Amino acid sequence: MAASLIRPEEAQRIWVWLEHDGTSLEGVSLELLAKGRELADRSGEGLVGLLMGHELDSLADEALGYGADEIVVAEDPLLEVYTTDAWCDAAAQVVLEKKPNILLFGATPDGRDLAGRLAVRLRTGLTADCTDLEIKTDEPALMLAAEVTGFGGGVAAIIACKENRPQMATVRPGVFRPALRRSHGEEGVQSRCPVRIDPGRVRTRVLERRIGEAVDITKAEALVVGGRGVKGDFGLLETLAGLLGAELGASRVAVDEGWIEKDRMIGQTGSVTRPKVAIVCGVSGAMQFTVGIMEADTVVAINSDPEAPIFESADYCVVDDLFSILPPLIRELENSR
Amino acid sequence: MSAQYDDGTILLDDATLERFHRATGGEAWPCYQCGTCTATCPWGRVRQEPLLVRTLMRNAQLGIDEDGESLWLCTSCGICEDRCPRGVPIVRILRALRSLAWKDRRIPEGLPSVLWAVHRDGNPYSLPPCERTRWADDLEVKEFEPTDEMLLYLGCTASYDRRIQKVARSVVGGLRAAGVQFGTLGASEPCCGETALAMGQTAFAAEIAEANAKLFAARGVKTVVTISPHCFDMFQNHTPRLDEGFEALHYTQFLARLVSAGRLVCRGSFPRRVAFHDPCYLGRRNGEYDAPRTVLESIPGAEIVELEESRAGALCCGAGGGRMFLETPVGERFSDLRVRQAANAGAEVLATACPFCITCLEESAPQVDQPLKVMDVAEIAARALEPEGADVEATASGR
């Protein structure tokens, strides 16, 4: 391997690249801040969040509250939307200036893209798509041990980057718990790291950015789910979801019938969801469905059939017709507004 | 990588050819491109564009990469193999090509997590291993001992899927009525590995199979009887034999032996017109067509009718080859055609003997006008064990 641009003894602190959509941080970035905090505390290192983009003031303030000792902000108009060239240039400048020991990315499309290019630019190793991270404090230069698993090999491999710095890894979203917002007074400090991007080196130009209609119900904190029992009418469920700030979900039958779009399907061939609460209406609860809500914290099931298997997967069981249960619930929620 | 140009010219390269050759063992070479496979493949009956099996074989011969979709459509029903005049092991070749696709990470969404579940939880459904025995909570099924007549192997679907748990309970009822001494491996029962094999994770499947062979040898298993034909196929054809080895049987084969020996006698009756759907992994893949019919014919009152396509010509339900874990759009489900065949045969009950077939057929059953109940052979037998058999209950189980 090529000689490291950064010497191990000068590399310090654990860095997390903070991915965002301009207004809020991605879930995986919060997960990495939580894991990064844990690793930092165990090793006595500091934790730094790297925030890149354009006009980031409010987001930088927001990012301070999730356990990082410092948020480093790198701003430039060319960083307004993600492009490989611009972001790699900017990130490389920050890394060479600040010399992180460890640098973590979410294994998202942008995270994977940036980390791969950056690792080559920095002449260091990248452990991709990790499912666990550990730190070896007995090693002189705080070795990161990253768990990588894959079929083909069958078993997990623990990968370390011995000589080169930073020790880089992309981490699969969803494997760690996200960081919680800290109370005031516990926030880190903010600093800026100026970057210079040569527009001539940015080979792609984003002409227009359009955000699709597709929903991602795996990220929903609350779900209102309908099945065969809604008999084609998701209206009540939609109203309820609106009042609760929830997303709509559906069983396969409801999708097959064309009552609702396919990207809301829950279950074996749909999405596996992890909401805090799921209100499941008129779903019988075949295993192919319930595997999609096993990870929900609380499941409320409404079904007129007391024998419906869905009740075995529910924390609260309402044996009644959803059309007589939901209207008063909706009225009550509206009144309490 | 082979390259394709706009004018249709394909540039072959030696490295890919060599790679394909190693993976398939050159087994595609006997294919002389007659196209019988494409013509018999059931996908041609639900899609405008059939699954081009012949093209897949040609590509396997020449080392041409796939488009990424068609490779994963195959349900490994084996009807093409059965009719292939050159005896090409088409399903095995497609599995080999799938194993290459894993290495190149050209995998349909959702499949890695199924394999992760097998790896971590010992079942493809990500369900807790400790809940594996819940199906038998009130049945007092004992742990297997070497003196037992056989080991009853539930498999993941019968262990966890509430619908299929009923099948397992019916099998237990039949075994008990015949006075069979048996046990299970309880919560330590492993996955058979068929899911991994079907998806082309041949190395992982072999790892599981080897562990299972050791487990069977260590536990003194001489005969293993499975609920699912998929587990049966895995034990029968893909699991090594250690020491004295073991005999693998599908439960219909075991029940048929009990019937022939006069040990299993149905004293009740099942006065219904019953059609049997041959599961591909029991029928075409393992040549067992008679055992389930022997059991059904021993049931007083049951009138057995044959489906339009039956035995070696049976139409697949659509769930094999890992398709159970992939979405099939409305209108492209083989099981829709199959329930129509059952209705045409005038069947009141569509019987089968595979958890995946039950799930698919039951989901399609509401599409026919007349009432059609999907039942497992074991459920029908259990219903007819005693004279005052209860009436057929309704199970319109959706998701």
Side-chain angles (χ1 to χ4, degrees):
Chain A
M1 186 156 189
S4 185
L5 301 180
I6 298 171
R7 281 177 288 123
E9 57 275 19
E10 63 181 354
Q12 52 181 329
R13 302 201 287 182
I14 299 169
W15 285 55
V16 174
W17 179 69
L18 299 174
E19 192 171 352
H20 59 88
D21 59 5
T23 49
S24 59
L25 294 178
E26 282 289 324
V28 68
S29 296
L30 296 179
E31 291 159 22
L32 286 177
L33 282 173
K35 187 64 184 179
R37 186 71 261 164
E38 184 193 316
L39 297 176
D41 289 344
R42 192 167 310 150
S43 58
E45 280 271 10
L47 176 67
V48 182
L50 169 58
L51 194 62
M52 301 169 65
H54 180 49
E55 293 175 349
L56 293 171
D57 287 347
S58 64
L59 194 59
D61 291 342
E62 162 82 10
L64 282 173
Y66 291 97
D69 300 307
E70 183 177 346
I71 298 291
V72 173
V73 181
E75 283 182 311
D76 190 284
L78 282 170
L79 298 176
E80 186 171 358
V81 287
Y82 179 82
T83 59
T84 311
D85 292 326
W87 283 61
C88 184
D89 264 6
Q93 288 171 37
V94 176
V95 169
L96 290 172
E97 163 81 24
K98 303 279 185 179
K99 302 181 172 44
N101 185 10
I102 292 170
L103 177 54
L104 306 173
F105 298 80
T108 58
D110 287 356
R112 286 173 205 237
D113 183 70
L114 176 60
R117 177 69 66 100
L118 190 58
V120 174
R121 183 80 55 93
L122 297 170
R123 309 286 186 270
T124 187
L126 169 66
T127 311
D129 215 16
C130 301
T131 48
D132 202 2
L133 298 172
E134 226 184 288
I135 212 156
K136 298 236 175 289
T137 44
D138 47 344
E139 298 276 344
L142 289 176
M143 195 79 76
L144 177 75
E147 181 190 281
V148 174
T149 21
F151 286 92
V155 278
I158 307 296
I159 297 181
C161 177
K162 287 194 167 175
E163 315 286 337
N164 299 46
R165 296 291 179 272
Q167 308 172 68
M168 289 176 58
T170 61
V171 179
R172 197 175 290 191
V175 294
F176 302 123
R177 289 253 161 210
L180 298 175
R181 184 134 184 81
R182 304 218 161 183
S183 46
H184 287 291
E186 289 181 30
E187 288 123 338
V189 296
Q190 201 185 114
S191 69
R192 289 185 180 264
C193 182
V195 289
R196 268 204 322 272
I197 303 168
D198 173 6
R201 280 171 56 99
V202 181
R203 287 166 293 182
T204 44
R205 204 146 46 88
V206 177
L207 299 177
E208 187 190 1
R209 194 152 172 266
R210 218 178 281 171
I211 304 200
E213 292 284 306
V215 287
D216 183 0
I217 57 168
T218 63
K219 288 187 183 155
E221 298 224 327
L223 282 169
V224 176
V225 186
R228 192 193 298 276
V230 307
K231 302 189 176 84
D233 180 11
F234 267 84
L236 280 175
L237 276 66
E238 204 172 344
T239 312
L240 179 63
L243 288 164
L244 295 173
E247 282 289 354
L248 278 179
S251 74
R252 189 178 188 234
V253 174
V255 174
D256 281 358
E257 293 288 347
W259 299 339
I260 193 162
E261 60 270 38
K262 186 166 176 281
D263 49 10
R264 295 189 185 272
M265 186 165 94
I266 292 173
Q268 195 165 280
T269 57
S271 296
V272 174
T273 61
R274 293 176 181 80
K276 292 207 172 88
V277 61
I279 301 176
V280 182
C281 311
V283 175
S284 66
M287 182 188 66
Q288 290 77 10
F289 171 80
T290 55
V291 294
I293 53 158
M294 293 303 277
E295 312 258 316
D297 289 350
T298 303
V299 174
V300 182
I302 305 171
N303 200 302
S304 51
D305 174 11
E307 298 295 316
I310 187 67
F311 290 132
E312 285 192 5
S313 307
D315 302 288
Y316 297 93
C317 307
V318 183
V319 182
D320 206 337
D321 184 7
L322 69 99
F323 292 100
S324 54
I325 289 287
L326 294 189
L329 179 61
I330 288 169
R331 266 201 305 282
E332 205 55 41
L333 283 166
E334 280 168 344
N335 290 341
S336 66
R337 289 223 138 183
Chain B
M1 281 278 184
S2 52
Q4 180 154 15
Y5 297 103
D6 288 343
D7 64 358
T9 317
I10 294 173
L11 184 69
L12 304 177
D13 80 287
D14 289 345
T16 313
L17 177 64
E18 177 58 31
R19 189 165 178 254
F20 273 47
H21 222 127
R22 263 202 308 273
T24 60
E27 288 188 313
W29 273 108
C31 168
Y32 56 25
Q33 295 284 295
C34 68
T36 305
C37 46
T38 303
T40 50
C41 178
W43 280 107
R45 294 153 67 168
V46 291
R47 288 186 146 203
Q48 283 293 327
E49 170 93 338
L51 172 56
L52 303 173
V53 189
R54 185 189 63 80
T55 310
L56 286 169
M57 290 303 107
R58 190 66 180 146
N59 291 351
Q61 291 174 335
L62 298 177
I64 298 171
D65 293 309
E66 304 308 327
D67 55 28
E69 192 209 358
S70 49
L71 191 55
W72 301 94
L73 284 175
C74 173
T75 66
S76 64
C77 79
I79 196 154
C80 55
E81 271 184 17
D82 201 60
R83 306 212 170 144
C84 173
R86 297 285 285 158
V88 176
I90 299 170
V91 173
R92 197 154 68 212
I93 292 166
L94 293 183
R95 274 182 194 151
L97 297 181
R98 285 181 181 184
S99 75
L100 293 181
W102 277 97
K103 288 180 185 142
D104 301 340
R105 302 206 174 254
R106 287 179 290 139
I107 315 297
E109 207 182 330
L111 292 192
S113 61
V114 173
L115 283 170
W116 277 114
V118 174
H119 184 64
R120 286 190 182 148
D121 308 318
N123 69 77
Y125 306 113
S126 305
L127 292 169
C130 60
E131 286 183 11
R132 203 170 176 102
T133 54
R134 268 181 65 184
W135 68 277
D137 271 352
D138 54 341
L139 286 181
E140 290 171 12
V141 175
K142 71 173 190 64
E143 190 83 7
F144 172 80
E145 296 159 89
T147 49
D148 286 342
E149 199 172 334
M150 59 92 152
L151 165 73
L152 178 62
Y153 177 86
L154 273 295
C156 304
T157 312
S159 297
Y160 291 106
D161 185 326
R162 262 185 60 114
R163 171 67 187 89
I164 311 303
Q165 286 172 357
K166 292 184 185 174
V167 177
R169 296 167 70 91
S170 300
V171 172
V172 168
L175 294 175
R176 285 188 171 160
V180 177
Q181 189 170 337
F182 68 96
T184 69
L185 295 176
S188 63
E189 183 185 275
C191 174
C192 71
E194 201 273 329
T195 305
L197 182 71
M199 292 178 182
Q201 274 294 343
T202 38
F204 183 41
E207 222 172 84
I208 297 174
E210 207 180 302
N212 289 347
K214 282 186 192 146
L215 176 70
F216 288 168
R219 296 291 294 262
V221 176
K222 299 279 175 298
T223 303
V224 55
V225 176
T226 73
I227 306 279
S228 168
H230 292 258
C231 311
F232 165 57
D233 182 65
M234 192 65 198
F235 294 142
Q236 176 77 349
N237 302 316
H238 304 283
T239 305
R241 300 295 191 269
L242 305 177
D243 302 336
E244 289 147 63
F246 61 89
E247 180 189 28
L249 289 171
H250 183 248
Y251 85 86
T252 53
Q253 297 175 312
F254 194 79
L255 291 189
R257 282 187 193 179
L258 295 175
V259 167
S260 304
R263 289 173 69 187
L264 182 65
V265 181
C266 291
R267 291 184 185 81
S269 74
F270 190 77
R272 295 281 188 280
R273 192 188 273 241
V274 182
F276 182 69
H277 160 82
D278 290 278
C280 303
Y281 277 66
L282 184 62
R284 262 188 309 271
R285 302 211 71 79
N286 285 291
E288 184 58 81
Y289 304 107
D290 294 331
R293 289 177 173 81
T294 304
V295 178
L296 287 174
E297 281 158 9
S298 79
I299 297 168
E303 183 195 342
I304 319 295
V305 291
E306 288 294 341
L307 294 169
E308 187 186 319
E309 293 168 301
S310 111
R311 301 177 79 99
L315 172 65
C316 173
C317 75
R323 292 295 313 174
M324 192 68 200
F325 300 93
L326 292 167
E327 186 57 30
T328 306
V330 177
E332 295 187 7
R333 299 175 187 163
F334 304 168
S335 47
D336 291 356
L337 305 178
R338 201 58 168 153
V339 294
R340 255 169 255 148
Q341 291 184 355
N344 292 343
E348 297 162 277
V349 173
L350 179 54
T352 188
C354 168
F356 290 168
C357 295
I358 295 228
T359 305
C360 291
L361 295 171
E362 206 158 70
E363 217 171 74
S364 293
Q367 296 194 1
V368 294
D369 297 332
Q370 68 226 60
L372 179 68
K373 189 168 160 55
V374 177
M375 289 178 81
D376 193 278
V377 170
E379 294 179 297
I380 299 175
R383 193 68 61 87
L385 280 175
E386 293 308 323
E388 53 278 41
D391 240 12
V392 179
E393 59 168 22
T395 61
S397 106
R399 285 198 193 169

